[in-house]
Each structure stands twice: as structure tokens, then as C-alpha cells.
Amino acid sequence: MLLAAELLAALGHETRLAIFRLLVEAGPQGRYPNELSEALGLPPTTLSFHLAHLNRVGLIRRHKEGRYLRYAAAYETMDELLAFLTQNCCGGVACLSGAATRPNEELPQTTSPAPQGA
Amino acid sequence: MLLAAELLAALGHETRLAIFRLLVEAGPQGRYPNELSEALGLPPTTLSFHLAHLNRVGLIRRHKEGRYLRYAAAYETMDELLAFLTQNCCGGVACLSGAATRPNEELPQTTSPAPQGA
DNA sequence: TCAATACTTCAACAATAATGGAAATATGGA
DNA sequence: TCCATATTTCCATTATTGTTGAAGTATTGA
């Protein structure tokens, strides 16, 4: 099951977002932790913590390769997240490009005058 | 300036995501806090805290309307976020629908053998 | 002007997440 | 087998977030 908030929270951290982007750019073969560690100037423990987090929620995957490890982006998960954001969050209201200029055509336009006391 | 991680973090919370979705569904005219409070079963202080957060990062907007307030989704911000996620995160690697079935055609395929010591 | 309402800000506390050093684990080469 | 290397897990500490009652602010209607 996809827990959107969990994925969003995982990406909602400067460092993890940077890690994820590096992995996405790296393609399906991914990258080695020491490369990431160097690229981002992070101590290995901190990096490991964030890699574990991204891995746990399914945004990246870990491959053991003899003595080394490799992490790669899990594109399908990102797909699902984007699909969720467009369909469940914006579907029916179109917050995709153009939404701002094409305001609610199919909306009820309830124009309710005021709240009715809780 | 768009701080993607900030927006993602804002949406990366069950309650805030729920609030945001309600506002997106509500259309440009938005909703009154008491409606949201009731719909989500949240005490007004908690709701207010999360509304303030979403408002601060620019995902929703607040309109004062005489005695009442109204919050509405800021579609353009969501647009920008989705654009960022597709372009800067997945652009060039296509993690949009179909990515999983259409693996890296244009990728370097470096197949580097191992990391060179940090 | 006073009271009621709608909501916020304040403040205190609880819970959760992030950081990074030290120790543990695993692998491969000498 | 022993050592070096890569990376993790453990653990303590710090920092950040979330929750909610109480008090404050603004607006309208009586």
C-alpha cells in the first residue's frame, strides 16, 4: 500500500531529497554510498541513516554487490506518488500546468454564505 | 523561490495532507476552518497550527471575509512542485508513468566496477 | 457598548527525528 | 589467517515538530 504522506515526508528533507535526486540521475544502476557521502559532504553515519529511511519507505532500493553496496532509485514508487498527487490531490480540479489559468469549470460553486456553528 | 523540500515536508504529514486535499477538492473558493475542523475531527488549535504551516510555505492562502476566514488551495504552488518533481527529479530519467516499463534508454550505462576510496 | 462567535496565538509539554562518534559486521586481498 | 576497507548499527544528545488548553483578538448583532 502506498502511504503518500510517508513518501512525501521522506522527500521533505533537504538531505534526503538531494540523495534521491542523485540516485534518480544515476539511473537504474544507482550509486555507491561513498560516492554519495563525498558528493554531499555527509559523514557516513548520517548518510546511512537517510538511505535507510528512503529504503524503508520504498523510494530507493539496495543491492549488495560483493564487498560493496549500491543504492538505486525506485522509479515505480515515485511514479505512484506522482500519480497520487495528480489524481487524488488534483484530479477533478486540475492543479496540473494550466490550472491557475483555467479555474474550476466543473465545480459546484456552492458559495455557501457562512459556516454553520460547529 | 520554491523550496521543494519545504513543500514536500508540509504535505508529508497525514493531517496536513488531508487538509490540503479537502481544500483542493473545495476549489478556488476554499473552505472555512470550522468545516475542516469538523470534517477531520480536529480541535481548532491543532487545525490552526497546520493551516498556518501550509499557509506559510505557500500551499494554501487565507482570505479574510468579514467575521470569517477562508482557506483555499494555492494551485500554482502545487503546479510548481509537480513540475519540480517531474523535471528536476525525474526529467532525463523519466520516472513518470511508464518509466518502470521503459528503463533507461538514454542512459550512459557506466557500469563502473567499484568505488574509488573516499 | 456588551456578549457571542470564530479563530488565532501563546505556552508548556510530549513525541519524533536528526546528527555523528564509537563499535560491530562483512568482504576480499595479502 | 589477518588486515584494510566499506558501511552499518548502536547509542547518546540535540533539535525540531506536533498537540492542546487557556487566553487573546476581531467582528457582528443585540
Side-chain angles (χ1 to χ4, degrees), chain B residues 21-35:
Chain B
R21 290 182 65 187
L22 281 179
L23 290 182
V24 167
E25 282 164 24
Q29 40 176 13
R31 295 270 238 143
Y32 299 99
N34 73 358
E35 296 176 306

Side-chain angles (χ1 to χ4, degrees), chain A residues 22-86:
Chain A
L22 282 178
L23 291 182
V24 166
E25 282 164 24
Q29 38 175 15
R31 296 271 239 142
Y32 299 100
N34 72 358
E35 298 176 304
L36 298 171
S37 181
E38 197 176 349
L40 297 167
L42 291 173
T45 45
T46 302
L47 175 71
S48 191
F49 170 81
H50 291 302
L51 285 173
H53 187 157
L54 288 168
N55 186 59
R56 175 160 36 78
V57 302
L59 277 165
I60 66 176
R61 242 188 301 273
R62 169 161 137 184
H63 304 274
K64 187 147 202 195
E65 199 176 80
R67 171 184 205 155
Y68 305 105
L69 285 173
R70 215 162 49 176
Y71 285 92
Y75 297 99
E76 341 76 61
T77 305
M78 194 61 188
D79 270 5
E80 285 179 57
L81 178 57
L82 284 169
F84 172 86
L85 289 178
T86 39

Side-chain angles (χ1 to χ4, degrees), chain B residues 2-86:
Chain B
L2 172 97
L3 251 177
E6 204 169 56
L7 299 182
L8 290 165
L11 293 175
H13 185 279
E14 232 27 283
T15 303
R16 279 192 301 267
L17 186 57
I19 293 170
F20 184 70
R21 290 182 65 187
L22 281 179
L23 290 182
V24 167
E25 282 164 24
Q29 40 176 13
R31 295 270 238 143
Y32 299 99
N34 73 358
E35 296 176 306
L36 299 171
S37 181
E38 196 177 350
L40 297 167
L42 291 173
T45 44
T46 301
L47 176 70
S48 191
F49 171 81
H50 291 302
L51 285 173
H53 187 159
L54 288 167
N55 186 58
R56 175 159 36 78
V57 302
L59 278 164
I60 66 176
R61 242 188 302 275
R62 169 158 138 185
H63 304 274
K64 187 148 203 196
E65 199 176 78
R67 172 182 206 156
Y68 305 105
L69 286 172
R70 214 163 49 175
Y71 286 92
Y75 297 99
E76 343 75 61
T77 304
M78 193 62 189
D79 271 5
E80 285 179 57
L81 178 57
L82 284 170
F84 171 86
L85 289 178
T86 40

